[in-house]
């Protein structure tokens, strides 16, 4: 429940604060990209306080350090690219549209989980993928002028960039789904354990790589020279600027840590399903905070996305019932075998 709460709060908090950053005068794409990974040092304290898990059964040898370094660097680079696509997408789209389009990561994750993690497809899973695809298609062909309100949110969104924002959001969602499946494959096939320390170690390492890439790009692009003026012109002053950027960093770290812990405990698919629960929250808050218009197209897309989410939840419920039934039959068979042995001995 704690992991799910972290994921839900982060999923709702980070996009809203990113839109607030753009609306209040922030213009640095690399600063937003850096903020998505720069909160990794916050996890060092819980990592140091987490005790090592006791080995159960025969201990598995630790993976080679060179292999783990290569995996973390590769995943970190992919995370950095994904963060950049999200930064552009949130600049070009109203936050409500962005949130609804980002829900397609659930459909993408169904495909990556099938290909990488051997998750099986069922009619309910296929139904969810199709419904979420049509939901994204509705938003993709929606008139961008009908999505932009008269408030600050409408001024910040460049109407001519709507199509690019849709493509970038879908691309980032697909890459994020791939990242979750790769995390699950790393825990299952390389590390062979999903202890709290390994979860934190993977989270810190991959985000450190992504943050390093973003910071390097921030200085190489020359955007760092504009940060001082951006802070001075920011609505609310330098303190509000710092609080917003820190809030974005904390939100993304909470969401990612919650997702990675759920991957370790259950699966990447379950983590994505949980994240979709934040879907109805963000568009409603965006209407209240930024003046986004809740058009009929968005309402239909939201209902379709919720229906796709419920299909996944019901499939998870059915899988749980089947697993419980199989376990009950095994226990019953074991009990009958014991009774038979005792009768034969007597």
């Amino acid at each position: 429940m704690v992991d799910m709460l972290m994921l839900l709060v982060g999923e709702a908090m980070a996009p809203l604060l990113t839109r607030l950053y753009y609306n209040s005068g922030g213009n640095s794409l690399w600063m937003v990209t850096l903020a998505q990974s720069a909160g990794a040092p916050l996890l060092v304290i819980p990592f140091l306080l987490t005790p090592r898990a006791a080995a159960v059964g025969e201990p598995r040898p630790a993976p080679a350090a060179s292999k783990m370094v290569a995996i973390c660097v590769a995943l970190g680079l992919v995370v950095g690219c994904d963060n950049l696509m999200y930064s552009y997408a949130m600049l070009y789209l109203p936050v409500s549209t962005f949130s609804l389009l980002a829900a397609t990561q659930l459909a993408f994750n169904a495909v990556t989980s099938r290909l990488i993690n051997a998750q099986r497809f069922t009619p309910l899973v296929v139904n969810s993928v199709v419904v979420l695809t049509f939901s994204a298609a509705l938003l993709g062909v929606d008139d961008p002028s009908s999505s932009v309100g008269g408030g600050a949110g409408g001024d910040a969104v460049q109407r001519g960039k709507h199509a690019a924002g849709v493509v970038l959001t879908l691309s980032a969602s697909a890459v994020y789904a791939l990242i979750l499946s790769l995390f699950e494959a790393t825990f299952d096939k390389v590390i062979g354990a999903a202890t709290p320390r390994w979860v934190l170690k993977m989270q810190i390492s991959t985000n450190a790589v992504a943050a390093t890439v973003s910071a390097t790009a921030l200085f190489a692009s020359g955007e760092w020279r504009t940060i001082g003026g951006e802070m001075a012109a920011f609505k609310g002053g330098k303190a509000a600027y710092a609080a917003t950027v820190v809030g974005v960093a904390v939100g993304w770290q909470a969401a990612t840590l919650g997702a990675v812990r759920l991957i370790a405990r259950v699966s990447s698919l379950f983590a994505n399903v949980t994240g979709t629960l934040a879907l109805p929250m963000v568009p409603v808050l965006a209407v209240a905070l930024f003046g986004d218009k809740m058009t009929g197209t968005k309402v239909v897309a939201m209902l379709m996305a919720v229906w796709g989410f419920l299909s996944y939840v019901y499939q998870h419920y059915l899988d749980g019932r089947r697993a419980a039934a199989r376990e009950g039959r095994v226990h019953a068979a074991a009990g009958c075998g014991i009774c038979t042995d005792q009768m034969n001995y007597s």
Side-chain angles (χ1 to χ4, degrees), residues 21 88 160 186 193 200 202 217 224 230 240 274 284 305 307-308 321 328 341:
Y21 168 84
Y88 272 104
T186 301
L200 289 169
M202 287 290 295
W224 65 274
E230 189 175 286
T274 303
V284 172
W307 176 254
R321 287 193 61 180
D341 290 342

Side-chain angles (χ1 to χ4, degrees), residues 95-313:
V95 68
S96 55
T97 304
F98 167 82
S99 177
L100 292 169
L101 282 170
T104 56
Q105 68 192 32
L106 186 59
F108 289 121
N109 192 228
V111 177
T112 57
S113 293
R114 173 62 179 172
L115 297 176
I116 299 175
N117 310 121
Q119 290 274 356
R120 64 190 183 89
F121 267 9
T122 66
L124 285 171
V125 171
V126 173
N127 171 73
S128 183
V129 171
V130 171
V131 170
L132 284 167
T133 301
F134 278 115
S135 173
L138 274 176
L139 292 169
V141 300
D142 190 23
D143 179 11
S145 63
S146 66
S147 300
V148 180
D155 298 333
V157 177
Q158 304 176 37
R159 300 183 183 186
K161 302 292 186 179
H162 179 82
V166 171
V167 172
L168 284 167
T169 306
L170 293 176
S171 301
S173 298
V175 173
Y176 182 71
L178 175 63
I179 290 169
L180 294 184
S181 291
L182 291 175
F183 265 106
E184 183 177 352
T186 301
F187 286 131
D188 290 343
K189 300 176 182 178
V190 180
I191 300 173
T195 63
R197 285 182 66 88
W198 265 117
V199 170
L200 289 169
K201 191 182 295 187
M202 287 290 295
Q203 175 73 1
I204 293 170
S205 302
T206 54
N207 275 269
V209 173
T212 301
V213 171
S214 301
T216 302
L218 177 66
F219 284 95
S221 65
E223 278 193 5
W224 65 274
R225 298 187 182 91
T226 66
I227 299 300
E230 189 175 286
M231 293 177 68
F234 196 79
K235 185 178 179 180
K238 294 183 178 180
Y241 183 93
T244 303
V245 173
V246 170
V248 171
V250 171
W252 282 120
Q253 282 304 307
T256 309
L257 180 60
V260 174
R261 283 175 61 88
L262 287 174
I263 291 171
R265 292 174 183 273
V266 190
S267 69
S268 61
L269 202 56
F270 184 81
N272 234 323
V273 169
T274 303
T276 312
L277 275 173
L279 174 67
M281 299 163 51
V282 177
V284 172
L285 291 172
V287 170
L289 297 175
F290 303 123
D292 287 5
K293 286 185 178 180
M294 185 56 70
T295 63
T297 303
K298 285 185 181 180
V299 172
V300 173
M302 183 189 300
L303 293 175
M304 291 177 70
V306 171
W307 176 254
F309 162 74
L310 292 176
S311 295
Y312 260 124
V313 170

Side-chain angles (χ1 to χ4, degrees), residues 12-75:
M13 173 181 170
L16 290 170
L17 286 177
T18 302
R19 170 49 58 197
L20 179 64
Y21 168 84
Y22 286 133
N23 287 0
S24 301
N27 297 305
S28 175
L29 285 165
W30 282 115
M31 176 59 75
V32 174
T33 304
L34 175 61
Q36 294 178 49
S37 298
L42 297 173
L43 304 178
V44 173
I45 295 176
F47 174 76
L48 295 175
L49 296 177
T50 302
R52 295 181 182 275
V56 178
E58 184 179 350
R60 178 170 176 168
S66 58
K67 180 184 289 187
M68 290 309 303
V69 169
I71 290 174
C72 289
V73 170
L75 280 174

